[in-house]
Every structure is written in structure tokens, then in C-alpha cells.
Amino acid sequence: MILALDVGNTNIVVGCIENGEIRNIFRIRTDVNQTYIEYAVKLREIFEILKVDTDAFEGAIVSCVVPPVTKSLTDAVKLLTGLDCKVVGPGMKTGLNVCIDDPGTLAADLAVGAVAAINCYGSPCIIVDMGTATTITVVDGKNRFLGGAIMPGVNLSYSALSSGTSLLPHISIVPPPKAVGSNTIDCMRSGAVFGNAAMIDGMIDRMEEELGVKCNLVVTGGLASSVTKYCRHELICDDDLLLKGLWILYNKNK
């Protein structure tokens, strides 16, 4: 069994993976101020609640987009399990040919998602990850990572909208009865849900037009199922995409 950790800007997704089967998924808050001891205590407490035997881990891998957290978390894993954590980054075998301007700047989560998408669903593919930021990335039929687009995530953008205006309230991201809202909250929810779904549809159309080929469309992230069910493209929703990618990368780099 391996320990896989996907560190995002808001949450750390933790999964225990055995023979490719993901078990005991949970989330903890990403906190740059936490020490490695504090992370270790938090992880140990959750493992005890879930009755996970930390001695059963034979390896660990982490993908992190918050650099100050990487060392704290890898040190926590070392303290808790005695294992050195593999860290997704330059030099790791991925099977991707990274064709962006500076391959060394490719974010770990984008690489992990791309690896999972091409291995689980095939290429060419477009991967939408709806987290703190919404990212849309493209891998062509030769497994070349071509790049993509980055937008503010739904929660982040609407939190900024509410904080930066006098009359617009904070809202929950749920669909309104119809696209044409008849009150402030429904108008905001229409933009958050239907507006983001339309944006994703539009970006997919533009990207497929540039590629000249239809792609496998894969979506993941915390708000994926809430928003993309209103997209007009047929999307594959995989909440565990990045954990699957971490399992694949771990085995590629044993």
C-alpha cells in the first residue's frame, strides 16, 4: 500500500492506494504555517480513526503546488512512516513530452492529471480541474503536453466578487431554477454554475478547433460534478483523477 498526497492551495487530498485501488480518501486543510510535527500529528490522528496501519505503507508520493508545504509534509510522512516521499517534479518519469515554453515550470498537479487522463482514458485529451483555480490542459495524440488555460476558480472568484462589492452577498454554489435569474442570489448562482459551464464548453470548442481533432474530455476537482453536469459536451467526471495519477507515477518511478 502507498500513501498518496495531492496538495492544493486549499486542501490536501490524502489517499491510501493498494494494487491500484484507492481507499480511505480524506482531506485536510493546506496551511503554510503548520510545522511537520503538526502535520504528522494530524495525519496520525486521522489514520487512527480510520484504522489505517501506517506500518503497512511501502511507499509515499506527494504532488504539491504550495512550495512551502512540500518539506513540512514530506518530513511529516518520514516521521510517521519512516518513508522518504517521492515528490512530483522535474526529473520524474511521466511518459509526457512537455511542450510548453519552460517545461520546468509545469505545475505538479497538471502533470499528474495529464498522466492519469492519458493512462485511464486515452489521448488526445482535455483535462479540466476545478479547484481553487480552474485549469484546462491539453495533451495531444502523441502524449505531448501542449499547455492550456488558467482561470479563477468558482469559489475564489465569487468570494472576491462578494468581498469587493457592497450589495452582492456570499452565496453557495448551487444551480438556480433557470439561467435568467429574477433576484440577486439566483443571478449570481446562474453566473457561477451556468456561466462556468458555458465557459468550459467554449474553451473546449476553441481548443479542439486548434487541435483539429475531437478529444477525450476529463473533469475533476471539488466543484466538477456541480458545474459540469450543465456542460453541453460529454465529460468524464473522475473525482479521484489525481490520486490515480500519483499511483501511476509512483510505479513509473520505483
Side-chain angles (χ1 to χ4, degrees):
M1 182 166 67
I2 73 159
L3 175 60
L5 306 103
D6 170 37
V7 183
N9 288 288
T10 304
N11 291 309
I12 301 169
V13 181
V14 184
C16 308
I17 311 177
E18 187 169 10
N19 297 322
E21 182 181 348
I22 303 169
R23 304 175 178 176
N24 298 309
I25 301 172
F26 60 90
R27 284 170 168 78
I28 59 176
R29 181 71 60 182
T30 304
D31 186 348
V32 296
N33 296 313
Q34 290 255 21
T35 67
Y36 79 97
I37 293 281
E38 290 170 321
Y39 272 122
V41 168
K42 188 173 293 185
L43 289 170
R44 184 189 64 183
E45 289 174 346
I46 296 173
F47 286 141
E48 287 176 352
I49 292 170
L50 298 177
K51 296 182 170 54
V52 174
D53 180 8
T54 55
D55 291 333
F57 289 120
E58 64 183 53
I61 184 168
V62 60
S63 163
C64 185
V65 297
V66 188
V69 173
T70 304
K71 180 166 173 52
S72 297
L73 204 55
T74 55
D75 286 350
V77 170
K78 178 74 171 180
L79 180 64
L80 193 60
T81 67
L83 298 168
D84 291 318
C85 228
K86 295 182 185 299
V87 178
V88 178
M92 178 170 273
K93 297 175 186 175
T94 63
L96 294 171
N97 182 7
V98 181
C99 297
I100 60 175
D101 293 342
D102 184 354
T105 64
L106 177 61
D109 60 334
L110 303 185
V112 174
V115 167
I118 64 174
N119 279 274
C120 297
Y121 305 108
S123 60
C125 57
I126 295 174
I127 307 106
V128 182
D129 190 343
M130 302 189 71
T132 306
T134 295
T135 60
I136 306 178
T137 49
V138 179
V139 179
D140 71 7
K142 297 179 180 179
N143 292 348
R144 295 182 298 183
F145 186 100
L146 301 181
I150 302 173
M151 290 73 69
V154 182
N155 280 324
L156 179 64
S157 58
Y158 275 80
S159 176
L161 182 63
S162 299
S163 299
T165 57
S166 299
L167 297 177
L168 297 181
H170 290 276
I171 60 167
S172 55
I173 309 299
V174 296
K178 53 189 180 357
V180 182
S182 55
N183 58 72
T184 300
I185 290 177
D186 278 356
C187 287
M188 293 177 70
R189 286 176 172 166
S190 177
V193 178
F194 303 142
N196 276 277
M199 178 271 291
I200 290 167
D201 278 329
M203 290 300 291
I204 289 170
D205 287 340
R206 289 171 180 264
M207 289 175 172
E208 287 186 332
E209 184 179 355
E210 287 183 15
L211 288 174
V213 65
K214 292 293 184 182
C215 298
N216 295 316
L217 308 174
V218 186
V219 60
T220 192
L223 285 171
S225 59
S226 300
V227 172
T228 56
K229 67 173 66 174
Y230 300 101
C231 289
R232 294 179 175 174
H233 288 84
E234 186 175 341
L235 305 174
I236 302 165
C237 190
D238 189 339
D239 292 335
D240 301 330
L241 187 71
L242 269 67
L243 291 178
K244 290 176 181 177
L246 287 171
W247 167 257
I248 294 165
L249 287 173
Y250 178 84
N251 285 287
K252 279 183 181 288
N253 291 273
K254 273 188 176 179

